[in-house]
Amino acid sequence: MSLQVQGAGGGLTADVGSRIDVRGVTKSFGATRALSGVDLEVRAGEVHTVMGENGCGKSTLVKILSAVHRPDTGTISVDGRTVQQMRSPSHARRIGIATVFQEVLTVPGRTIFENIWIGARTTHLDKAERRQRTTNILTRLLGEPVDVDAPIESLPLSGRQACCVARSLVADPAVLILDESTSALDVATRDRLFEIVHEMTGNGASVLFISHRMDEVFEISDVLTVLRAGRTVASRLPASSTSPDELVRHMSGVEANAERRSSRPAGEVVLRASALRLLPDGAPIDFELRAGELVGLAGLEGQGQDAFLKALRGAPALGGGRVRRTGECDGVVLDKPSVARRHGVAYVPRERRHEGMFEQLAIGENFGLPRLAQDTVGGLIQQRRTFRRLRRQSEPLRLKMGDPRDLITTLSGGNQQKVILARALADVPKVLLLNDPTRGIDQNAKNDLYAVFDDLSVQGVAVVMLSSDVNEIVQLVDRVLVFRDQSVSAELTGDEVTRSNIVAAYFGSVSDGARDTLEGTGDAEQNLASGA
Amino acid sequence: MVLGVFVWGSVQIDGFSSGPSVRAMLVIASLLALASLGQTLVILVGGLDLAVPGYITVGAVATAELAGTKGWPLWAVAVSVVGVCAFAGGVCGAICHYLRVQSLVVTLGMSSVLIGGVIVATKASNLGVPPQDISKWTFVMGETLDVPVPPVVCLAVGVVVGSWLFLAHTPAGRRLYATGANPRAAEGILIRTGRVWITTFAFGAAATGLAGMLIASYSSGASVTIGDPYFYSGLAAVLVGGTALGSARGDFLRTVLGALILTALTTILSGMGLGEGDSRILFGLAIIVVVLAYGRDRRLRDRI
Amino acid sequence: MQSRTLLLAPDASRLKRVQASLVGRRPWVFAGVLVIALLLANAALQGSFLDPGYWPGTLGTLAPFVLVAFASTVPVLGGGIDISVGPLATLVNCLLVATLLPHGLGSPLVAIPILLAVGAAAGCINGLLIVVGRLQPVIATLAMFFVLSGLALHISPAPVPAGDNWTRDLAGTAGPLPGGLLTIGAAVLIWVLLGRTQFLRNLYAVGGDDVATFSAGVNVAAVRIGAYVLSGVFATIAGVALTAVIQTSQASLAASYSLIALAAVSLGGTSLAGGRGGLIGSLLGAAAIFLLQELLAATGVPTSYVQLVYGLLLIAGVVLSGITSKGR
């Protein structure tokens, strides 16, 4: 089917019917349900923003609309026609949907011009016309003329993202999807993009906008839709009459805050980070961790919390700074993961499949790997010793398993995660760093893990937990650092740790009580722009 | 599988299951398996070694030339073969790991260097005959301590046991599997994957070189192309045995079984009047089928 | 995912990246310098080398080198690899000499379409195994290496002389033109014509970053399969050019031609990671290997050094490409 919709074509403005209509779309990845019934209606000539916290399904929705993924059930209509199967991104582009992703997806080694016309159907334009369009669009976006034959690497990050935007714009899309694509743009380029967006919608095209910056959202949106846990919870709220607080309420849900763990007095400082910069020109972060403390790291995907946690385990941060083990280790600088591990810092990686476990190995082998020397007698590994250690570790974790000789993949996700955790705990750490430890596991296993973390902190272990799930942070931690734009945007302690405060800090609209440690967002943006 | 092929052979060809014929097949399969020990290990760690013909040639020619013509003692030959091959293998492993280059290309070049080096060193002259001491090892009607089994077969069995002990029961073996299974996770738990790569390539190369010495004694001579058939059939044996590329599944026993199947198949095919070409076609198809069943990649759309 | 957005590299390293990409735009410079040096050396040692009378013969001998290098370049540009180009070229050689010519199908108008179809089909199978079967390119083309070289051996277990036939002209002069120029020219022509379509641009893009290209709306699967088909076509032409030179069927040359092809590609500066390089580099790389071989012959060094040199060149090329792509 070829219904090349010219977005700029007039006449469409009169038609206020829906441009894109998504009804009851569901999508699962293996056992995880990413979308469980999403509705979305985007009309002609509007800027429609989809909001929601981590894991609410907005990325999956965008990927379905740009045909990277196919929905399991539900219907998608474009201009009133049901699209049976969008087979691939090229198909989506053909029917007038162009997407700019959060990641800067340029192809290295090619020129700017080539990068912009990748995947475009150019049969009706000759090269001179294409060059003219490229120059026009890029000049508008970047504010100054660029040599379109220069290699793409000659542009800074913001410029490269502008090329991705231009790649979508040259196709004259009827619907432009901006999936957090503004986060890589500097402020000036972003403002110029917004001008173009206004012009496009004025001509009848639609823009589906996804952003984690509250100010941006209100600056540009006409209509808002909120997703939570894979469902649409608020549809087509008019931006002009919706307050940020209201939005935060929708995103975080109305249910009462989960019951908070009672906090206990913390012990001596065991880990101290000073002037840690996640970017070369980033805002410095100072951080102290005390024994028996449970600290949460929160933020939307990719805001720096991951790099911060890794810096604590000894992977040097991009912008420098020091992490020291204090207390009995007396100020050892943790500049390598191996040094950190020797000094009682254990790390549980994020992606089980990619970074944590060995799918082809047995449960016992997965557990035993880092401490093989302990189980080796006369050059041979004594499996029984490994198994004994595993049993000892697995009891408090309520790790349910059959034979430790079975492959780890025979376990459920929750139990796999417990094996990985048991592996880290076998080192008897003083500091436990957890990188989203409960992602993709069932509620019972989560509760088991919460109990273990709680126990550990009672025993005086300092626990730092990065989490993409606000609920568990509220439930568990004594203190939370919220990250935004590669630095700490808010630090919430005690009663300040509430869902709405955290979600508000995600999007940069923090209620007054928690504003003390907020770094100026303007600064952060400057940093982003100049650092790129 | 092995049994099935064997029964088929007995039905197809007269004398297939007779004593001498079985012994001959066992010797060939053992040599094939020993020549593929290195390949098995390298594949387990996540690489692919195309330098196998080079190592075999080095071992075989050294045996014929140094031991046969120049009369060096066997142990001295073995030491020099191990030294040369281990160095070459180590270099390959290091280049692959530190420059993130596909091991295929590096080892292909290394193979060419080794074989070229051998040709230059021997001035492409006619080679001598390996000495008697080593020929006893691969003599089909040979006996091991009065048991009527050729020594090379016993050696292969010994290596199966040894490699099983090493891979399944030593820390080094475990680290090898871990590196092959998930290099990122392995680095995450502070395994030095570079070191694992280099030692695996070096050890594999040395083992293959030693197998080359035995091959020389079996063929009572050596030429610079002596390694090629062992490389092709050996790689096929590893893959058909079910040791999948890039997934760290499998062990040496599987390679031995693969070698047995392939040897029996080749014997049957040649008994039926089919040539080298046909068995290669068959090997190729067998690899495709086995790998399709075991080792497929992720889809592109899952990587965005 | 995350690491990509976090990679806001500092200015210094960006400069370096720009520099690297400048080298990256002319990656064949190294091979070019090597070719010029070798040409001079050859000319100095053999006065007759530059005699125009010898050119057709020289070009004819050079052609199979260049063409297998071309065949190997295309999948590498797309981020894959094809080690079955050597066997495919020899299969075409055996098919032509041992099957088509003796059966009276040897006239160019009949033989060329048949051979091209065989080559394209073999390439297509490679592509399907990789794209649909999701096999690693190395494994898929290795299996095809077995199958194709097996087929060649099956057709012609021992070398068969070709007798008098049209390919002979391709090793010398075909009409007014040197035959080698004709075969290389055919491949270059295909490449230039494809340059007018989107295929080449998409191929480079897929090799540069397949995920980005996919998300930009390129049919990555089709591009990949197309790359292997094109590789098959080039390998077919290489097989014909090879036949012209050797005038027998030689199934045993398979492995060394795959080796030469890869060496030429990496020597020509085409990144084995994909997306960078091109036919010019491979042309120069193949020419450098060829000239080196000539030089060794001219200086009276035994031909036995040739293989050693191939291997060293391949390793050098790989290390070179590894270092430049690491600087990225």
Side-chain angles (χ1 to χ4, degrees):
Chain A
M1 76 193 262
S2 79
L3 69 167
Q4 169 73 30
V5 190
Q6 288 290 325
L12 279 172
T13 27
D15 176 17
V16 284
S18 57
R19 179 54 63 67
I20 291 185
D21 199 8
V22 175
R23 289 262 167 258
V25 161
T26 65
K27 174 76 188 174
S28 302
F29 297 99
T32 355
R33 207 170 171 84
L35 296 181
S36 33
V38 163
D39 301 322
L40 173 74
E41 189 196 349
V42 181
R43 294 189 187 156
E46 73 182 12
V47 178
H48 191 133
T49 298
V50 174
M51 295 201 78
E53 51 177 76
N54 285 324
C56 68
K58 50 186 196 264
S59 297
T60 311
L61 178 63
V62 165
K63 281 175 185 163
I64 284 176
L65 285 176
S66 46
V68 172
H69 295 314
R70 293 173 203 178
D72 296 337
T73 58
T75 58
I76 299 172
S77 326
V78 178
D79 285 317
R81 268 179 262 194
T82 309
V83 184
Q84 289 304 341
Q85 274 290 2
M86 283 208 281
R87 285 178 304 273
S88 62
S90 59
H91 189 192
R93 241 184 121 140
R94 213 151 57 234
I95 62 175
I97 301 174
T99 308
V100 186
F101 291 94
Q102 176 178 20
E103 287 175 72
V104 180
L105 291 171
T106 49
V107 178
R110 307 282 91 205
T111 65
I112 295 172
F113 179 74
E114 286 168 322
N115 256 291
I116 286 176
W117 290 91
I118 286 170
R121 305 175 72 75
T122 51
T123 33
H124 60 290
L125 289 175
D126 67 22
K127 196 163 179 184
E129 280 177 277
R130 280 191 275 143
R131 293 183 72 89
Q132 192 53 47
R133 284 187 85 144
T134 313
T135 318
N136 287 349
I137 291 177
L138 272 186
T139 312
R140 277 206 68 184
L141 271 173
L142 296 173
E144 58 187 16
V146 237
D147 174 14
V148 296
D149 293 317
I152 191 81
E153 286 91 342
S154 62
L155 292 175
L157 185 80
S158 171
R160 278 181 278 147
Q161 182 69 315
C163 286
C164 291
V165 175
R167 184 192 292 158
S168 294
L169 292 179
V170 292
D172 261 336
V175 180
L176 174 67
I177 303 179
L178 298 171
D179 179 8
E180 306 211 15
S181 18
T182 49
S183 58
L185 293 177
D186 59 43
V187 188
T189 309
R190 190 197 64 188
D191 289 345
R192 288 188 288 264
L193 170 63
F194 284 177
E195 261 171 50
I196 298 179
V197 161
H198 278 305
E199 193 175 297
M200 283 177 70
T201 50
N203 288 330
S206 315
V207 175
L208 186 65
F209 187 64
I210 286 150
S211 167
H212 58 261
R213 294 185 189 172
M214 200 66 98
D215 50 344
E216 254 178 29
V217 168
F218 280 98
E219 183 184 335
I220 195 168
S221 312
D222 301 315
V223 188
L224 305 160
T225 288
V226 180
L227 301 189
R228 191 170 69 235
R231 286 177 194 284
T232 306
V233 291
S235 208
R236 299 194 61 79
L237 304 170
S240 48
S241 59
T242 309
S243 69
D245 285 347
E246 205 179 331
L247 262 189
V248 168
R249 217 164 35 243
H250 281 302
M251 286 191 283
S252 60
V254 283
E255 79 256 42
N257 274 321
E259 195 176 321
R260 274 181 57 75
R261 194 182 74 108
S262 53
S263 76
R264 271 170 305 280
E268 55 164 5
V269 174
V270 289
L271 196 73
R272 178 175 289 128
S274 41
L276 210 58
R277 291 167 202 268
L278 302 179
L279 287 182
D281 314 313
I285 302 170
D286 294 308
F287 175 68
E288 278 184 355
L289 181 68
R290 292 172 180 279
E293 202 181 18
L294 226 163
V295 177
L297 305 181
L300 287 166
E301 290 278 344
Q303 298 299 309
Q305 61 272 42
D306 189 64
F308 179 72
L309 189 70
K310 283 179 179 152
L312 294 187
R313 73 160 308 207
L318 271 179
R322 280 228 165 114
V323 178
R324 287 174 190 277
R325 250 309 249 124
T326 48
E328 78 272 30
C329 293
D330 198 34
V332 180
V333 177
L334 305 181
D335 51 359
K336 275 198 219 112
S338 56
V339 176
R341 185 180 162 211
R342 256 203 315 280
H343 292 94
V345 179
Y347 174 74
V348 176
R350 173 197 196 78
E351 295 266 352
R352 254 198 324 278
R353 279 192 57 193
H354 300 308
E355 289 179 34
M357 71 178 183
F358 301 91
E359 287 181 305
Q360 290 92 5
L361 301 188
I363 301 166
E365 291 170 343
N366 262 286
F367 169 77
L369 265 170
R371 300 184 71 81
L372 287 174
Q374 222 177 45
D375 302 328
T376 308
V377 177
L380 294 184
I381 298 169
Q382 302 295 308
Q383 290 263 34
R384 252 175 297 134
R385 288 182 170 225
T386 316
F387 295 163
R388 215 180 308 139
R389 286 199 298 126
L390 175 57
R391 293 236 164 68
R392 207 163 48 229
Q393 292 289 348
S394 62
E395 241 165 65
L397 291 170
R398 290 200 228 163
L399 170 54
K400 286 180 277 293
M401 58 171 180
D403 192 332
R405 285 179 200 84
D406 291 342
L407 283 185
I408 191 162
T409 42
T410 58
L411 297 177
S412 69
N415 283 322
Q416 288 172 3
Q417 187 66 6
K418 287 178 183 174
V419 174
I420 309 281
L421 183 64
R423 181 168 83 193
L425 293 180
D427 280 345
V428 200
K430 288 280 184 283
V431 177
L432 180 63
L433 307 175
L434 304 160
N435 199 337
D436 221 352
T438 62
R439 171 183 274 224
I441 66 178
D442 63 273
Q443 192 57 47
N444 281 334
K446 279 186 188 178
N447 291 338
D448 291 345
L449 291 185
Y450 297 156
V452 172
F453 301 154
D454 194 28
D455 271 0
L456 285 170
S457 74
V458 170
Q459 289 158 27
V461 178
V463 183
V464 180
M465 177 175 74
L466 184 156
S467 174
S468 52
D469 177 355
V470 184
N471 276 330
E472 71 184 22
I473 286 189
V474 172
Q475 197 180 329
L476 222 54
V477 305
D478 303 311
R479 168 158 80 104
V480 57
L481 309 184
V482 183
F483 283 76
R484 207 164 108 76
D485 290 335
Q486 313 301 319
S487 69
V488 178
S489 73
E491 178 170 350
L492 307 166
T493 340
D495 292 340
E496 290 167 1
V497 184
T498 61
R499 275 190 69 87
S500 50
N501 275 346
I502 294 174
V503 173
Y506 276 8
F507 291 89
S509 71
V510 182
S511 58
D512 287 337
R515 208 180 270 275
D516 350 331
T517 44
L518 183 70
E519 311 286 344
T521 38
D523 280 354
E525 270 160 4
Q526 283 302 315
N527 294 333
L528 243 180
S530 52
Chain B
M1 236 340 238
V2 180
L3 276 180
V5 172
F6 194 74
V7 169
W8 183 46
S10 313
V11 175
Q12 282 284 333
I13 297 164
D14 281 344
F16 182 84
S17 51
S18 69
S21 144
V22 170
R23 280 177 157 212
M25 278 193 286
L26 278 179
V27 169
I28 298 176
S30 305
L31 284 175
L32 186 54
L34 289 173
S36 325
L37 171 64
Q39 185 72 274
T40 310
L41 296 177
V42 167
I43 287 185
L44 280 180
V45 84
L48 183 65
D49 199 340
L50 263 61
V52 164
Y55 306 137
I56 292 179
T57 306
V58 168
V61 171
T63 313
E65 193 59 20
L66 297 180
T69 311
K70 298 210 176 119
W72 287 26
L74 272 181
W75 63 265
V77 177
V79 167
S80 23
V81 167
V82 166
V84 169
C85 292
F87 176 73
V91 168
C92 288
I95 293 179
C96 297
H97 184 264
Y98 292 112
L99 294 177
R100 314 238 167 254
V101 196
Q102 286 185 336
S103 55
L104 167 96
V105 189
V106 182
T107 51
L108 189 63
M110 186 54 83
S111 184
S112 190
V113 168
L114 288 172
I115 293 176
V118 166
I119 299 176
V120 170
T122 58
K123 304 191 183 56
S125 60
N126 284 333
L127 298 165
V129 177
Q132 275 296 310
D133 324 6
I134 192 167
S135 297
K136 270 188 278 180
W137 279 79
T138 51
F139 185 47
V140 170
M141 300 312 281
E143 297 184 343
T144 319
L145 306 171
D146 296 331
V147 182
V149 178
V152 67
V153 178
C154 297
L155 180 67
V157 172
V159 172
V160 168
V161 175
S163 67
W164 169 75
L165 272 180
F166 169 75
L167 285 173
H169 291 282
T170 64
R174 225 28 105 58
R175 281 195 280 268
L176 192 154
Y177 270 120
T179 305
N182 191 341
R184 267 179 79 186
E187 274 170 19
I189 56 172
L190 308 176
I191 291 176
R192 291 198 188 83
T193 52
R195 198 191 278 180
V196 174
W197 266 70
I198 294 172
T199 45
T200 305
F201 271 77
F203 178 82
T208 313
L210 291 177
M213 295 181 67
L214 293 175
I215 288 168
S217 80
Y218 175 72
S219 355
S220 341
S223 73
V224 289
T225 53
I226 194 166
D228 288 354
Y230 287 93
F231 160 64
Y232 292 124
S233 319
L235 182 53
V238 175
L239 294 174
V240 169
T243 297
L245 217 76
S247 76
R249 260 175 308 197
D251 52 41
F252 185 57
L253 180 61
R254 293 202 199 189
T255 303
V256 172
L257 293 181
L260 279 172
I261 293 175
L262 290 182
T263 311
L265 269 181
T266 322
T267 314
I268 296 170
L269 288 178
S270 63
M272 289 163 70
L274 300 172
E276 153 95 31
D278 303 278
S279 48
R280 274 208 200 169
I281 300 175
L282 196 75
F283 290 178
L285 295 177
I287 293 176
I288 293 177
V289 169
V290 173
V291 181
L292 274 179
Y294 286 104
R296 303 178 70 191
D297 268 355
R298 282 201 299 156
R299 292 200 305 193
L300 194 57
R301 62 178 73 227
D302 297 336
R303 287 173 39 205
I304 290 195
Chain C
M1 250 206 182
Q2 204 162 15
S3 64
R4 245 198 241 242
T5 37
L6 281 179
L7 266 181
L8 312 168
D11 278 333
S13 83
R14 204 181 95 216
L15 253 174
K16 221 196 263 170
R17 248 187 302 145
V18 174
Q19 275 169 359
S21 78
L22 282 179
V23 177
R25 303 193 84 187
R26 305 252 180 286
W28 39 264
V29 168
F30 175 70
V33 172
L34 199 61
V35 165
I36 292 170
L38 286 167
L39 263 179
L40 292 176
N42 266 310
L45 282 165
Q46 291 174 279
S48 61
F49 194 80
L50 292 179
D51 181 352
Y54 284 93
W55 287 4
T58 309
L59 274 173
T61 326
L62 173 66
F65 284 61
V66 171
L67 287 163
V68 284
F70 282 2
S72 187
T73 310
V74 185
V76 168
L77 285 178
I81 197 163
D82 188 350
I83 54 178
S84 68
V85 293
L88 183 51
T90 50
L91 173 63
V92 165
N93 158 251
C94 292
L95 207 58
L96 179 58
V97 173
T99 309
L100 295 180
L101 284 173
H103 287 82
L105 298 166
S107 78
L109 286 181
V110 182
I112 292 178
I114 295 181
L115 294 174
L116 282 178
V118 169
C124 189
I125 295 174
N126 268 330
L128 288 175
L129 283 175
I130 290 161
V131 170
V132 181
R134 299 209 301 274
L135 299 189
Q136 291 170 11
V138 171
I139 294 295
T141 56
L142 182 74
M144 283 300 278
F145 184 111
F146 281 83
V147 173
L148 295 173
S149 63
L151 281 172
L153 273 175
H154 180 87
I155 292 171
S156 159
V160 178
D164 197 26
N165 66 83
W166 53 276
T167 60
R168 199 154 285 191
D169 293 341
L170 292 177
T173 45
L177 285 171
L181 213 58
L182 218 60
T183 44
I184 299 178
V188 171
L189 186 70
I190 296 177
W191 187 254
V192 170
L193 286 179
L194 282 173
R196 305 181 73 89
T197 69
Q198 289 181 33
F199 174 75
L200 282 198
R201 260 185 297 134
N202 289 344
L203 178 69
Y204 276 96
V206 169
D209 189 330
D210 49 355
V211 173
T213 312
F214 177 69
S215 74
V218 171
N219 187 344
V220 173
V223 172
R224 286 223 165 106
I225 295 175
Y228 285 94
V229 171
L230 186 58
S231 159
V233 168
F234 284 176
T236 306
I237 307 179
V240 174
L242 177 68
T243 310
V245 178
I246 59 176
Q247 293 296 324
T248 53
S249 64
Q250 277 284 2
S252 60
L253 288 177
S256 51
Y257 270 90
S258 279
L259 174 71
I260 291 169
L262 277 177
V265 168
S266 47
L267 205 60
T270 295
S271 159
L272 289 169
R276 282 158 202 270
L279 290 198
I280 304 176
S282 302
L283 177 76
L284 292 172
I289 292 174
F290 170 78
L291 289 170
L292 199 63
Q293 195 179 327
E294 291 284 301
L295 188 69
L296 291 177
T299 47
V301 174
T303 45
S304 48
Y305 277 91
V306 169
Q307 193 159 17
L308 181 69
V309 171
Y310 285 169
L312 286 174
L313 279 180
L314 179 54
I315 295 181
V318 166
V319 169
L320 203 75
S321 112
I323 290 171
T324 47
S325 69
K326 217 183 176 191
R328 244 151 84 182

